């Protein structure tokens, strides 16, 4: 083959490779532009993220009044070059999940809650004024009807949360609010409100900013027994409900995944 032929052949191959890379670059740029436009569009729906989880340690109040966690250090950085802590944990400590199994013989364990139920619309029912006047206040069907009248239907798969203002009491005796006879007084959901949510809505989770889905004086845990056996779950000790709107936020529930658990501490946040 002559020198000129060789040079022309090389030139043709270079042009072909250049065309290939140019086409690839255009396609990549197009994909990047698509991603750049898609991501902000997704993010535009949520401008803020709020942590709905209390920090907890052995001093965090529990339903039974005893520490729910023991934390000991097995290795420290000064001696071992790394830190490692041992946790001895009650499942129902701090901001935590009540799995259906908690109050049923064969309901879903915490690891069996469908992940699709852990990302949900948040509906906040504000009874703070009522709770300030009466520590034993409860969310009633009338409260739910008032929320619906103001905000529209409760969304399918929603978490319906009681905002009683009780989260501000964490760290003080007023959170458990024990009377002289040992009884506790704090707000919760009335069983009739739970039944309304079950029968008339597609809500999948119920949340409170107190120690229990049932209000403090409850002796029969009627709301727990109505709600959890339907394979809906609960959240207790939720924080920062005063920072999110009544409707429109999305709750992300970082439930634990230990096999056969009746619940467990969870990291929960709301996107607004």
């Amino acid at each position: 083959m002559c020198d000129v032929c060789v040079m022309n052949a090389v030139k043709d191959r270079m042009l072909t490779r250049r065309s290939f890379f140019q086409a690839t670059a255009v396609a990549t740029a197009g994909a990047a532009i698509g991603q750049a436009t898609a991501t902000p569009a997704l993010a535009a729906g949520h401008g803020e993220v709020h942590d709905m989880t209390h920090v907890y340690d052995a001093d965090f109040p529990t339903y039974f009044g005893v520490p729910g966690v023991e934390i000991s250090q097995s290795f420290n950085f000064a001696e071992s070059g790394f830190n490692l802590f041992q946790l001895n944990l009650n499942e129902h400590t701090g901001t935590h999940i009540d799995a259906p199994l908690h109050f049923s013989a064969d309901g879903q364990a915490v690891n069996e809650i469908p992940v699709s139920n852990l990302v949900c619309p948040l509906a906040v029912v504000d009874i703070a004024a009522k709770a300030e006047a009466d520590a034993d206040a409860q969310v009633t069907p009338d409260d739910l009807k008032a929320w619906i009248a103001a905000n529209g239907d409760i969304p399918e798969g929603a978490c319906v949360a009681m905002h009683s203002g009780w989260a501000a009491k964490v760290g003080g005796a007023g959170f458990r609010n024990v009377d002289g006879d040992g009884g506790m007084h704090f707000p919760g959901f009335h069983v009739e409100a739970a039944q309304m949510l079950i029968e008339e809505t597609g809500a999948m989770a119920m949340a409170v900013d107190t120690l229990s889905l049932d209000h403090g004086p409850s002796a029969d845990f009627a709301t727990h027994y109505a709600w959890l056996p339907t394979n809906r779950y609960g959240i207790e000790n939720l924080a920062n409900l005063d920072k999110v709107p009544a409707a429109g936020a999305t709750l992300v529930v970082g439930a634990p995944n230990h096999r056969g658990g009746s619940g467990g501490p969870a990291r929960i946040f709301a996107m607004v």
Side-chain angles (χ1 to χ4, degrees):
M1 183 179 291
C2 66
D3 292 343
V4 174
C5 295
V6 171
M7 291 174 64
N8 287 336
V10 170
K11 186 184 296 183
D12 289 341
R13 291 180 64 185
M14 290 177 66
L15 289 172
T16 302
R17 284 173 58 84
R18 183 179 302 165
S19 299
F20 169 78
F21 285 117
Q22 286 175 339
T24 302
V26 169
T28 302
I33 291 171
Q35 291 174 356
T37 55
T39 303
L42 179 62
H46 301 99
E48 300 176 340
V49 179
H50 295 283
D51 194 345
M52 311 298 286
T53 315
H54 289 289
V55 176
Y56 69 96
D57 56 21
D59 294 325
F60 193 90
T62 63
Y63 188 86
F64 295 106
V66 297
V69 59
E70 296 177 4
I71 305 173
S72 58
Q73 188 160 13
S74 300
F75 297 90
N76 65 74
F77 189 85
E79 295 178 0
S80 304
F82 64 96
N83 291 306
L84 188 149
F85 297 85
Q86 185 75 24
L87 301 181
N88 182 6
L89 184 67
N90 180 313
E91 289 177 313
H92 299 270
T93 297
T95 302
H96 67 271
I97 298 292
D98 277 6
L101 184 63
H102 186 37
F103 271 74
S104 63
D106 55 1
Q108 292 168 345
V110 70
N111 62 294
E112 295 170 332
I113 298 173
V115 69
S116 58
N117 291 347
L118 298 175
V119 180
C120 47
L122 178 61
V124 180
V125 181
D126 188 341
I127 66 162
K130 186 164 67 169
E132 186 174 3
D134 177 10
D136 296 332
Q138 298 181 77
V139 175
T140 66
D142 285 343
D143 294 313
L144 298 179
K145 291 173 185 176
W147 189 97
I148 292 168
N151 302 285
D153 290 341
I154 292 172
E156 189 72 19
C159 174
V160 180
M162 175 193 77
H163 168 45
S164 70
W166 227 250
K169 300 177 184 289
V170 167
F175 193 70
R176 295 183 76 242
N177 201 23
V178 180
D179 62 26
D181 297 322
M184 291 183 291
H185 298 274
F186 52 76
F189 273 85
H190 194 285
V191 64
E192 292 178 1
Q195 290 165 341
M196 177 180 168
L197 290 173
I198 293 167
E199 296 168 5
E200 301 181 23
T201 79
M204 290 304 300
M206 173 187 293
V208 295
D209 53 1
T210 60
L211 283 166
S212 175
L213 302 181
D214 288 273
H215 72 330
S218 174
D220 58 7
F221 299 102
T223 297
H224 277 84
Y225 279 116
W227 186 255
L228 296 177
T230 65
N231 274 339
R232 292 169 171 85
Y233 67 93
I235 303 171
E236 294 169 340
N237 299 325
L238 207 58
N240 291 328
L241 283 167
D242 58 330
K243 295 182 179 178
V244 296
T250 299
L251 199 69
V252 181
V253 183
N257 204 30
H258 56 293
R259 193 181 307 279
S262 72
R267 190 67 181 266
I268 301 173
F269 57 92
M271 300 186 296
V272 180

